[in-house]
Amino acid sequence: MKDKFTKVLLVIICILLVVCLFQIGDLRNEVRNKYNHISNNISNVNHEIMNISSNVYNALEEEASLITEESYSLENPDFENFTIKLNASVTPKEYSESRTTATLYVGEEAYPMTREDSTFKASADIPLFMQNSVTKVVFREGDTVRTEALDWWIDPREEAIVRTYANFGGGWSAENDAETEIQTIDINGSLDVDIYNKTGSYITKAEVVYLIDGETVKTEIAELQNDNQREDYNFWDSVPLNISIEIPYGSTLDICSVITDNYGLRHVNIAERIHVNDKGSMHDQEEDWIWRAGEDIIYDAEGNCIWNPYDYSNVEFDFEIEL
């Protein structure tokens, strides 16, 4: 009888333990949910505080500012002197028609501004292939001088000229002829191009150029499917490549995208490089990754290189092209 009672008691205890475990699990879930709820509320409050702080900061900054509007535009790039015209305008909150003068500072250079209605304007020729800083505008009324920081960072190369990138997709097969010391490459792939048209700058022609040791051996017109003459328009396109090229031993084949824009500039991108050593083996060079699918090199209408971003890459760049 005593054993039976003990067994019943153990069963009851086990049941109670199971019930307790379920209750403990429920309590854990409830605590976890409460914690998540509180964390979300804290995050929302912090977000609201940040928004309020930002709004207050912007309101105070606007209140303290001397001007109500500011803007600039770029036009008329000069590819002989490598400059572009910067047009800047600022509208002060208060001014005297007879006494207020304004001066715009581009870097350390000062440019007097002229007033048209309530807006002061100035123009300056700034370097085309450099970042330019418009630092401030200074208003003067007699002996009173007031300065408003502008902190405009202007990169005409980025903002006013077509940008292009190109990459080779696909593969090739090779047939080696040791007797003639020529490697025949059968290319079967695509030239994938990214083009960034700008205001006043857009592409007019696209070509695929094959060069061996810098000399053009074949040029093909690339038919792009997008609206490539639309300004302020970014697009991607793909051009099929199916061609056989003979590469002598000890030579390098460059597959290039050459994009011509409405200024007559030609934007050259190296999409792929194939090196054949003096024994007929193909190999990559250590620096190839730097310019493969990299930024465009720019040539003028006469074929002169006017912008080579790899001048700043601290590597020896052996690429030359005659256009």
Side-chain angles (χ1 to χ4, degrees), residues 1-8:
M1 185 72 179
K2 185 177 179 180
D3 291 340
K4 185 176 181 181
F5 175 77
T6 302
K7 291 180 180 179
V8 171

Side-chain angles (χ1 to χ4, degrees), residues 6-25:
T6 302
K7 291 180 180 179
V8 171
L9 183 60
L10 289 174
V11 171
I12 294 173
I13 291 173
C14 289
I15 293 173
L16 291 174
L17 286 174
V18 171
V19 172
C20 288
L21 288 174
F22 277 112
Q23 289 179 336
I24 290 171

Side-chain angles (χ1 to χ4, degrees), residues 189-209:
S190 63
L191 182 71
D192 304 323
V193 294
D194 289 284
I195 297 175
Y196 301 84
N197 287 345
K198 307 296 181 179
T199 300
S201 183
Y202 52 87
I203 75 168
T204 58
K205 184 171 68 172
E207 299 170 293
V208 182
V209 178

